[in-house]
Amino acid sequence: MTKIGLALTGIFALMQLYRPKIDKGHYESQKKVFPHEVQAILKNSCYDCHSNQPDLKWFDQIAPANWIVAKDINKARSVLNFSEFDQLQKSDQNTKVWGAVNKIILGAMPLKNYLALHPEAAVSKTDLEILKKYALTLAPEQKQDTAKNHKLSTQYKAWRNNDIKTPKTLPVAVNGIAYIPEYKNWTPISTTQRIDNGTVRIIFGNSTAIKAIKDHKTNPWPDGTIIAKVNWESLTTPEGNISPGAFRGVEYMIKDRKKYASTKGWGWARFLTAEMKPYGTDASFTKECVSCHSPVANTDYVFTLPMQH
């Protein structure tokens, strides 16, 4: 028993020699982005992983816990880093806040294994109400917008006159997924509205998706399923009705458990504007997609419940 104890102690000591680097970054946000009470909540509940200012406790710095902490922090920063938040476009800031608040509402953030050791980081009901009210202030006001009307008119005229610069070959995302024009002939399975960024969406499913819906086999979705989410700017009519405005882009989720095992069984791609420009500068953009959809892992990472056919 003594020899075993000494051996385990030696192994534990050797483990401490390897410490993954947790880069504290070289940039800290200099602008006041959030109201004081919102900033306080974010600092208490989010900054340890989502900023360059982690407040690591002594047990966070002991291997092998340190290895897990470093991995979680690096992954979290790649999705959202509050220390670099003011470098984002205003629309991207709003989308990040909206996504973060929704993950808290769904109980996906802060991570449960993190809260087990850091209970003080829990978001209280009062804190959540403060965050929700703040997120709602970021939503574009639903009113008539002549600029949006003009943008729609210009885009429609360009489409009618074949003036839109579409590529001669199908655009391909950096992860190898090509634009799928056939989605226009697929069946709509649902609609959504995003008030945070002023868009409306129609979600289409290919024949495999439609069969899965009819057979009530959507959790998990079968391999071969393709879901296309098409979004437009949201327009408000004089009567207060919401209608689609200018086309913004289309996003795809392609189910293949083996091929896309590293991204939760789904292939992700997004093509922006009428010119279908692929989103992302490298394949790591899929981390953003997976992170956004992680709160609905229990519905196979799909947010929208399909209308029954």
Side-chain angles (χ1 to χ4, degrees):
M1 291 297 294
T2 301
K3 289 181 180 179
I4 292 173
L6 289 173
L8 291 175
T9 301
I11 291 171
F12 180 76
L14 289 173
M15 290 169 64
Q16 307 313 308
L17 298 178
Y18 173 65
R19 293 179 177 275
K21 183 180 180 181
I22 302 176
D23 187 4
K24 292 189 175 182
H26 303 292
Y27 181 89
E28 292 297 333
S29 179
Q30 300 299 315
K31 297 179 182 178
K32 183 180 178 181
V33 179
F34 303 105
H36 175 74
E37 57 184 359
V38 172
Q39 177 74 22
I41 296 169
L42 296 176
K43 190 170 183 178
N44 179 68
S45 301
C46 309
Y47 268 41
D48 275 359
C49 293
H50 291 279
S51 81
N52 295 336
Q53 308 165 45
D55 180 22
L56 300 183
K57 305 297 188 288
W58 64 268
F59 48 79
D60 292 323
Q61 303 180 58
I62 299 176
N66 176 257
W67 306 346
I68 300 172
V69 169
K71 181 180 179 181
D72 286 348
I73 289 176
N74 290 328
K75 181 180 179 181
R77 286 177 181 170
S78 69
V79 176
L80 172 60
N81 188 339
F82 285 111
S83 294
E84 301 172 359
F85 199 73
D86 65 8
Q87 296 182 78
L88 299 174
Q89 296 290 329
K90 182 62 177 176
S91 59
D92 291 334
Q93 291 181 352
N94 294 351
T95 298
K96 293 286 188 183
V97 170
W98 191 266
V101 173
N102 273 287
K103 287 181 181 180
I104 294 172
I105 292 172
L106 292 167
M109 287 289 166
L111 295 174
K112 289 181 172 57
N113 58 355
Y114 174 78
L115 286 176
L117 295 175
H118 305 81
E120 70 282 357
V123 178
S124 67
K125 290 184 179 179
T126 301
D127 291 344
L128 182 55
E129 286 304 312
I130 291 172
L131 294 176
K132 287 164 64 176
K133 288 180 180 178
Y134 173 69
L136 287 174
T137 67
L138 304 177
E141 187 178 353
Q142 296 298 318
K143 62 180 182 179
Q144 281 190 278
D145 189 330
T146 54
K148 285 187 175 182
N149 287 327
H150 177 71
K151 185 176 179 180
L152 171 60
S153 177
T154 301
Q155 190 182 82
Y156 180 70
K157 187 180 296 184
W159 173 74
R160 287 288 302 271
N161 296 334
N162 293 317
D163 290 337
I164 295 177
K165 297 179 180 178
T166 54
K168 294 181 179 179
T169 58
L170 292 179
V172 179
V174 288
N175 62 344
I177 295 177
Y179 167 65
I180 307 170
E182 291 81 9
Y183 80 84
K184 300 171 187 177
N185 300 318
W186 296 349
T187 304
I189 60 177
S190 192
T191 62
T192 61
Q193 180 184 8
R194 284 277 297 270
I195 64 171
D196 62 311
N197 59 12
T199 60
V200 292
R201 291 109 183 280
I202 296 179
I203 295 90
F204 295 86
N206 69 348
S207 58
T208 303
I210 299 304
K211 186 178 186 304
I213 294 170
K214 291 180 177 179
D215 295 342
H216 301 283
K217 295 180 179 179
T218 59
N219 194 11
W221 292 81
D223 283 359
T225 293
I226 306 179
I227 297 172
K229 181 168 58 179
V230 191
N231 69 85
W232 296 264
E233 288 186 348
S234 176
L235 288 184
T236 303
T237 68
E239 297 76 24
N241 297 321
I242 302 298
S243 64
F247 176 82
R248 284 171 52 101
V250 57
E251 304 169 18
Y252 297 100
M253 292 177 64
I254 304 172
K255 190 61 182 283
D256 189 319
R257 290 174 178 80
K258 291 183 178 179
K259 186 175 182 179
Y260 302 116
S262 63
T263 50
K264 307 302 181 181
W266 290 96
W268 312 80
R270 180 187 299 173
F271 300 89
L272 305 177
T273 75
E275 297 178 4
M276 297 300 163
K277 297 178 180 177
Y279 176 82
T281 56
D282 57 58
S284 65
F285 81 87
T286 56
K287 293 180 181 179
E288 183 180 334
C289 302
V290 172
S291 175
C292 179
H293 285 252
S294 61
V296 288
N298 62 335
T299 55
D300 201 15
Y301 296 89
V302 176
F303 274 103
T304 309
L305 293 176
M307 298 180 290
Q308 296 302 310
H309 290 253

